[in-house]
Amino acid sequence: MASSVPSDTSVLFATDHGSVERTTQGRVRLRFGGTSWILASSDVPTLRATTRSLASEVYHCERDCRWQLRVDGHPTVVLDSDEVLRLDALLDGAVTMLELDTILDDASVTRPVVA
């Protein structure tokens, strides 16, 4: 079976609900549901901080709440509470992997490539 990930990307982190991929241009492609964003790697922690803030508000929501998320250069998306929590988890993993890559690069250790 052929891979569904294009050859110009490598998966940084994925969940059942989305993925964060590193592109050959040194950017990051975030896929979540039907939404896809292309971001600079340095923008991922900022987006994570935003989703973490939204996720903390989810627990104060008493009814079916909707949340707006704005990402510079992309259309605003509206998420329900479950989607906010799923996106938060996806970005948490992505930020962790970006931090790990930085640590490995600083130590001059290369990540193994899965064939």
Side-chain angles (χ1 to χ4, degrees), residues 49-67:
T50 301
T51 60
R52 175 165 276 177
S53 176
L54 286 176
S56 70
E57 293 298 317
V58 163
Y59 297 107
H60 300 292
C61 175
E62 295 180 17
R63 295 183 182 228
D64 184 31
C65 296
R66 300 282 181 215
W67 310 90

Side-chain angles (χ1 to χ4, degrees), residues 23-115:
T23 70
T24 55
Q25 296 83 21
R27 298 183 60 82
V28 172
R29 177 181 297 132
L30 173 83
R31 297 175 194 253
F32 182 75
T35 304
S36 180
W37 295 293
I38 302 291
L39 308 166
S41 295
S42 60
D43 292 339
V44 177
T46 304
L47 182 56
R48 167 66 172 113
T50 301
T51 60
R52 175 165 276 177
S53 176
L54 286 176
S56 70
E57 293 298 317
V58 163
Y59 297 107
H60 300 292
C61 175
E62 295 180 17
R63 295 183 182 228
D64 184 31
C65 296
R66 300 282 181 215
W67 310 90
Q68 289 186 358
L69 179 63
R70 291 181 183 93
V71 176
D72 289 341
H74 299 280
T76 298
V77 294
V78 177
L79 306 170
D80 66 27
S81 294
D82 287 340
E83 290 171 323
V84 168
L85 297 175
R86 290 178 186 138
L87 180 57
D88 183 57
L90 177 64
L91 288 168
D92 185 44
V95 167
T96 300
M97 293 305 294
L98 288 169
E99 290 170 352
L100 177 60
D101 279 352
T102 299
I103 291 168
L104 293 175
D105 286 345
D106 291 347
S108 296
V109 176
T110 57
R111 288 179 73 200
V113 176
V114 178

